[in-house]
Amino acid sequence: PIQSIVNSSVMLWFPDKLLVVTVATKETDGYRRFLRTAKHFNYTVKVLGRGQKWKGGDYMSAPGGGQKVRLLNEGLKEMKDDHQIILFIDSYDVVFASGPKELLKKFQQAKHRVVFSSETLIWPDRHLEDKYPHVREGNRFLGSGGFIGYLPNIKELVANWTGDDGDSDQLFFTKIYTDQSKRKSINITLDNKCRLFQNLHGALDDVVLKFEDHQVRVRNVLYDTLPVIIHGNGPTKLQINYLGNYIPNTWTFESGCTVCREDLRSLSENEYPLVVIGIFIQQPTPFVTVFFERLLKLQYPKNKLKLFIFNKEAHHQRQVQSFLKDYGSLYEKVTVIEPEEEMDGAASRNLGLDLCRRDQDCDYFFSLDIEVVLKNKDTLKILIEQNLPIVAPMITRAGRLWSNFWGALSGDGYYARSEDYVDIVQGRRVGVWNVPYVSNVYLVKAGLLQRELKDYELFSSSDPDMAFCHNIRNKGIFMYVTNMHTFGRILSTENYQTGHLHNDLWQIFENPVDWEERYIHENYTRIMKDKLIENPCPDVYWFPVFSSVACNHMIEEMEHYGKWSGGANVDNRIHGGYENVPTIDIHMTQINFEKDWQKFLVEYVVPITEKMFPGYYTKAHFELAFVVRYKPDEQPSLRPHHDASTFTVNIALNQVGLDYQGGGCRFLRYDCSIQAPRKGWALLHPGRLTHYHEGLPTTAGVRYIAVSFVDP
């Protein structure tokens, strides 16, 4: 009884008597996480085996770990204080959820001199099951990854170790525990209800996150306990990584991410690290020209950037060559793999990493797929500042939950949705997240490639991204995704047709956000707020709708198609075969653009129509939509006429004074003319009865307009 009282006072009033002992032969990401949580709670940690070669085997799949027992046995010999309490735990896959005071109190309440963690599964010898003492409630089997006890008892526990480094520590401790006399002599018990230790293997369904004030705990719902130490033993490394995103206070509802500003790398203007950017073009992709425009705007010194461009698609050679011709000399170095070299995607990615690995000046490899829309010009600087081994900027597909990371993996290694995935993707939880899979865009430290991943082919042909992430996880390297900034999105490459001159025009359904950015006038969204709609003639409205690029592409697409009508009254393209007021034109249907044009009308013209003509709700159905060409020596003008529509949309596709002279439209009833139509601006006016109009003569150059007769 006296000894018990002394022990209690030692534990409760002298927590400095507690020493955390662990074995770590090298500093891994998991080890650094362990130390961070230990520091957070002011644990004193002694590390054994630092710098030694690990000979304890890969006991993820086979017994091992004997080296830990040997090192512990050797380390204890120099310790002399019998009141010293030793907590021996693994470190690579362990986090602390609470501090020494709670740990010691729970140890005291166990009323034994040594307490081992417990498991639901027996390992590594199932034949020893019958030798385990039965328990009324709780886990029956011993887990060797964590135990706590007084120094004399721990010394007695490991004193008889004579095994090899590759032998099983679990089997060694199990045989001691299942030997009744030894169990009694050393005074060992198990933490059956996970009050001190929570081993995750076999218990994932029993564990939930419990958010408290500015702290996060794990709660064992089976026993209603709050374990102090969480151990991702066996095949539960991904689960401990997930829990480590929160425990003990990594992310809380009150404070958000509490560690995202720690250990940042500061970038000075004169000392930017050198980055190899790997650009991968593996399938026909929309908006490739825009991709290179954004690459050019990346806020990073170009003399600190080397480009490695892998292009598998002959379709995109023109864009790549155009970019390199105009801007390639700005970069420190450019390496290009072209389609005729017939290299596959996995080999190209391995080569890209190897260029950085073998380059003594390379500090980072920035992998960037061509379908990534990198809107944030500071992305590269932000990722470098995070100072993480591998980090991806979170990007999503517009309007969908798809992103470039997975929050969890299924049993067979494919995608599984983590509990926090939707909140992270939708920005309700903001931080830097340890995840099992990243793709499309990420930054890799060159030091990893030159040390841990030296001479290592990380990608394979079957599924390059999955192979890469699998190999990274197997090396114990953490991958992160950050959603602390808005970085951009990823394009859909499905249904991308390459049979046109400007194939991006056909992307209004598949990639509507990018289509709008490319083809809709920059001032369109300000039309209502800033009253940009002009009213040059009665019931005629004039507003910006097309970008200059859209106008150019429409003209070039029509000229590329080239089958302009002859301007005769007989026209087999239209219903009835007769055109009363013919023009030199090409119909949208002729270039298979009618569905896309209808979508454009619905999205960008209908809102204006319904605002300007209140009470009228258009279906945006058109009988005719076409591009008209006016030339002095072909068809310079158009005689007065009514349009066969409820309303007409007329968009100027090029610039008066620059591309042509003359032109314009005159409304005879009001004797009102628009003689200087602006490129990309639309005229919206009624088609029948009131707005009898004519096309004014084009006196020089060539004038193009896009016309739609809506709701005939």
Side-chain angles (χ1 to χ4, degrees):
I2 295 172
Q3 180 68 48
S4 176
I5 293 170
V6 171
N7 290 345
S8 298
S9 64
V10 167
M11 286 190 290
L12 294 176
W13 301 110
F14 299 99
D16 58 322
K17 289 291 185 181
L18 174 67
L19 178 65
V20 179
V21 180
T22 190
V23 171
T25 54
K26 63 178 181 178
E27 292 192 11
T28 66
D29 294 329
Y31 170 77
R32 285 184 280 271
R33 174 183 60 195
F34 165 79
L35 286 187
R36 187 188 69 77
T37 66
K39 181 181 177 182
H40 177 75
F41 291 114
N42 294 315
Y43 284 97
T44 302
V45 180
K46 181 178 180 63
V47 182
L48 305 175
R50 222 187 307 222
Q52 296 185 21
K53 185 176 181 180
W54 175 251
K55 300 176 182 177
D58 175 19
Y59 53 98
M60 275 275 290
S61 54
Q67 186 174 355
K68 292 191 297 181
V69 187
R70 175 176 64 80
L71 289 170
L72 176 61
N73 192 17
E74 293 169 358
L76 293 177
K77 288 175 182 176
E78 63 189 50
M79 301 182 194
K80 305 301 181 184
D81 185 352
D82 286 354
H83 294 302
Q84 181 92 60
I85 298 167
I86 302 296
L87 170 64
F88 187 70
I89 49 173
D90 291 349
S91 58
Y92 296 158
D93 49 8
V94 167
V95 294
F96 286 102
S98 187
K101 187 175 179 180
E102 180 180 338
L103 179 71
L104 290 172
K105 183 178 180 180
K106 288 179 173 178
F107 174 46
Q108 173 202 349
Q109 290 168 345
K111 298 179 181 178
H112 283 71
R113 302 280 290 181
V114 176
V115 180
F116 268 87
S117 70
S118 67
E119 298 190 30
T120 60
L121 307 170
I122 185 168
W123 166 267
D125 186 352
R126 285 181 294 174
H127 297 99
L128 295 174
E129 179 175 351
D130 292 341
K131 294 191 175 185
Y132 268 93
H134 286 277
V135 295
R136 188 174 299 172
E137 185 182 13
N139 299 334
R140 185 180 171 195
F141 306 113
L142 176 145
S144 64
F147 53 88
I148 184 172
Y150 286 96
L151 179 61
N153 304 72
I154 300 293
K155 281 185 174 181
E156 184 181 350
L157 178 71
V158 298
N160 294 323
W161 172 261
T162 57
D164 295 330
D165 284 355
D167 288 348
S168 172
D169 61 334
Q170 176 96 357
L171 185 60
F172 173 72
F173 291 126
T174 297
K175 287 182 175 179
I176 292 174
Y177 178 72
T178 54
D179 183 320
Q180 186 174 359
S181 62
K182 290 181 180 178
R183 183 168 72 243
K184 188 173 181 179
S185 169
I186 302 172
N187 196 5
I188 306 173
T189 190
L190 301 188
D191 177 33
N192 303 101
K193 295 184 181 179
C194 304
R195 300 179 76 245
L196 292 87
F197 305 96
Q198 176 66 65
N199 288 313
L200 296 179
H201 189 31
L204 292 177
D205 293 338
D206 303 338
V207 167
V208 296
L209 286 172
K210 183 178 187 293
F211 291 89
E212 299 177 338
D213 291 341
H214 297 281
Q215 187 177 333
V216 187
R217 298 291 297 266
V218 155
R219 176 170 171 253
N220 185 305
V221 294
L222 191 60
Y223 306 121
D224 196 21
T225 53
L226 296 175
V228 177
I229 296 156
I230 317 302
H231 182 198
N233 58 322
T236 62
K237 309 307 175 195
L238 300 186
Q239 286 76 15
I240 192 67
N241 290 351
Y242 168 77
L243 296 173
N245 284 329
Y246 296 95
I247 300 167
N249 72 330
T250 314
W251 190 96
T252 68
F253 281 107
E254 295 86 358
S255 306
C257 183
T258 64
V259 299
C260 293
R261 303 294 179 189
E262 294 180 3
D263 301 321
L264 297 182
R265 173 174 183 167
S266 61
L267 289 177
S268 65
E269 290 293 329
N270 301 322
E271 295 184 1
Y272 277 92
L274 190 137
V275 182
V276 174
I277 301 182
I279 297 164
F280 298 94
I281 309 173
Q282 300 202 145
Q283 67 278 317
T285 304
F287 305 107
V288 167
T289 300
V290 185
F291 172 93
F292 283 114
E293 289 171 2
R294 290 202 177 96
L295 180 68
L296 205 60
K297 294 174 183 175
L298 208 57
Q299 295 297 298
Y300 204 86
K302 290 181 175 52
N303 66 341
K304 290 291 185 177
L305 296 176
K306 294 182 179 181
L307 301 184
F308 168 72
I309 302 176
F310 167 71
N311 178 24
K312 189 179 179 181
E313 285 296 328
H315 174 72
H316 291 308
Q317 277 186 291
R318 178 170 54 89
Q319 289 111 319
V320 172
Q321 290 166 358
S322 175
F323 168 73
L324 293 179
K325 178 184 176 184
D326 293 339
Y327 306 109
S329 61
L330 299 177
Y331 295 89
E332 181 68 13
K333 184 180 180 182
V334 178
T335 304
V336 183
I337 304 295
E338 296 185 324
E340 51 266 28
E341 297 186 47
E342 296 185 347
M343 182 180 289
D344 74 9
S348 73
R349 293 179 187 272
N350 284 323
L351 176 59
L353 291 179
D354 211 43
L355 285 176
C356 176
R357 182 185 285 123
R358 297 176 186 277
D359 184 343
Q360 62 181 7
D361 296 324
C362 181
D363 296 296
Y364 292 92
F365 184 81
F366 186 43
S367 185
L368 185 59
D369 290 356
I370 198 74
E371 57 264 38
V372 172
V373 179
L374 213 54
K375 295 280 289 177
N376 192 324
K377 298 175 184 177
D378 294 316
T379 296
L380 188 50
K381 289 195 288 188
I382 291 167
L383 297 182
I384 290 172
E385 286 169 350
Q386 283 299 324
N387 199 25
L388 294 167
I390 298 175
V391 58
M394 188 189 78
I395 55 172
T396 59
R397 189 160 285 164
R400 294 174 59 183
L401 285 173
W402 191 97
S403 73
N404 65 321
F405 79 96
W406 295 352
L409 296 181
S410 64
D412 55 0
Y414 285 87
Y415 170 83
R417 181 174 291 182
S418 59
E419 290 181 12
D420 57 1
Y421 178 80
V422 174
D423 282 344
I424 293 172
V425 169
Q426 296 183 342
R428 290 192 291 270
R429 299 187 189 184
V430 174
V432 180
W433 311 93
N434 185 338
V435 296
Y437 175 95
V438 295
S439 64
N440 297 105
V441 52
Y442 47 85
L443 185 74
V444 183
K445 278 188 175 180
L448 282 180
L449 302 173
Q450 293 156 357
R451 291 188 294 273
E452 289 93 328
L453 303 173
K454 186 180 180 181
D455 300 325
Y456 204 79
E457 289 200 350
L458 295 170
F459 297 91
S460 65
S461 298
S462 56
D463 192 320
D465 291 330
M466 285 189 65
F468 171 76
C469 295
H470 173 79
N471 289 327
I472 295 298
R473 292 193 304 269
N474 279 357
K475 287 286 185 178
I477 297 167
F478 289 173
M479 293 171 280
Y480 296 86
V481 66
T482 172
N483 65 340
M484 292 184 67
H485 301 79
T486 300
F487 293 102
R489 57 185 175 270
I490 189 160
L491 294 167
S492 168
T493 58
E494 299 163 17
N495 306 315
Y496 184 60
Q497 303 299 316
T498 59
H500 304 283
L501 180 65
H502 293 295
N503 300 285
D504 296 348
L505 277 170
W506 279 259
Q507 285 294 299
I508 191 170
F509 288 101
E510 209 67 54
N511 291 291
V513 176
D514 298 87
W515 193 93
E516 179 176 305
E517 286 186 0
R518 186 69 161 159
Y519 291 128
I520 295 300
H521 198 286
E522 60 181 355
N523 293 332
Y524 175 83
T525 55
R526 296 173 45 217
I527 284 175
M528 299 302 181
K529 182 179 72 172
D530 296 340
K531 299 179 180 177
L532 295 183
I533 297 181
E534 298 182 18
N535 186 203
C537 302
D539 283 332
V540 176
Y541 299 99
W542 202 13
F543 57 91
V545 66
F546 263 177
S547 68
S548 180
V549 171
C551 296
N552 295 343
H553 283 192
M554 285 297 297
I555 292 171
E556 290 165 12
E557 195 64 48
M558 292 303 181
E559 288 291 1
H560 178 71
Y561 179 74
K563 298 178 182 178
W564 295 94
S565 66
N569 294 107
V570 176
D571 192 341
N572 294 326
R573 297 172 302 168
I574 62 175
H575 184 68
Y578 185 85
E579 173 57 70
N580 191 37
V581 187
T583 52
I584 304 292
D585 57 47
I586 294 174
H587 289 188
M588 300 298 181
T589 54
Q590 290 177 264
I591 61 168
N592 298 316
F593 199 59
E594 64 274 18
K595 290 180 181 177
D596 308 84
W597 191 255
Q598 167 116 16
K599 177 73 170 173
F600 158 70
L601 293 175
V602 168
E603 294 293 329
Y604 300 101
V605 175
V606 165
I608 309 298
T609 305
E610 294 181 351
K611 190 76 173 178
M612 296 300 102
F613 298 105
Y616 180 74
Y617 299 100
T618 174
K619 296 178 182 178
H621 172 67
F622 62 86
E623 189 74 33
L624 286 174
F626 47 93
V627 171
V628 178
R629 183 173 73 184
Y630 290 115
K631 294 168 69 173
D633 59 349
E634 189 176 68
Q635 182 180 17
S637 60
L638 196 61
R639 65 178 175 82
H641 63 284
H642 282 295
D643 292 336
S645 64
T646 301
F647 67 91
T648 296
V649 183
N650 180 329
I651 304 171
L653 296 180
N654 56 349
Q655 188 65 52
V656 65
L658 183 66
D659 302 310
Y660 64 91
Q661 303 292 332
C665 182
R666 176 171 173 258
F667 294 93
L668 280 69
R669 178 182 175 90
Y670 310 105
D671 192 24
C672 180
S673 298
I674 295 104
Q675 292 184 308
R678 300 165 194 156
K679 184 177 181 179
W681 283 55
L683 279 179
L684 176 69
H685 62 82
R688 296 191 184 89
L689 192 60
T690 54
H691 283 65
Y692 194 59
H693 60 285
E694 63 181 334
L696 299 174
T698 297
T699 57
V702 185
R703 179 188 178 211
Y704 297 90
I705 58 173
V707 181
S708 300
F709 296 159
V710 187
D711 296 349

